[in-house]
Amino acid sequence: MEFDMSKIKAGYTLRRVAGTYFLLDITQSGRPYKKPLQLNEVGADIWTFLQEGCSEDEVVKKLQEEYGVDAEMLRSDVEEFLQTLSNYVSKK
């Protein structure tokens, strides 16, 4: 699944609070309130790499360099994250 970052509407930002990462929709009106998406450190890294314009393959490579984990395991994790991200941004 190749993820198209351009399909994510503008207005999302990543914040770290007390050691936890949150992806926030900063354009929402608050009615209904869209809760922030909580991310772990790897999820925050994936988001950052995507924001930098990295492809899915580049994200996997960067994570492998950073964490020293098997590429196929990372690819599965990245695909799962991208599906979660896609579901989150499509919520109204």
Side-chain angles (χ1 to χ4, degrees):
M1 166 184 146
E2 191 64 32
F3 189 76
D4 184 0
M5 193 67 173
S6 67
K7 290 185 178 181
I8 294 181
K9 61 185 178 182
Y12 287 89
T13 189
L14 183 66
R15 294 287 186 253
R16 185 173 184 206
V17 179
T20 302
Y21 293 94
F22 295 94
L23 186 62
L24 305 165
D25 180 350
I26 59 174
T27 64
Q28 67 176 318
S29 67
R31 293 195 179 116
Y33 177 69
K34 183 177 181 179
K35 293 181 182 180
L37 178 63
Q38 186 173 342
L39 305 177
N40 61 20
E41 189 170 331
V42 176
D45 286 345
I46 295 169
W47 173 261
T48 301
F49 296 147
L50 292 171
Q51 288 289 86
E52 292 171 355
C54 292
S55 68
E56 186 177 330
D57 289 336
E58 292 168 327
V59 169
V60 170
K61 183 177 179 183
K62 285 179 176 252
L63 291 174
Q64 189 175 26
E65 291 170 359
E66 177 73 22
Y67 296 103
V69 178
D70 177 69
E72 288 309 309
M73 180 185 298
L74 285 171
R75 182 165 306 284
S76 174
D77 290 347
V78 168
E79 288 174 356
E80 183 178 335
F81 175 84
L82 294 176
Q83 185 61 53
T84 298
L85 181 61
S86 180
N87 291 340
Y88 178 73
V89 299
S90 66
K91 288 182 182 177
K92 300 288 180 197

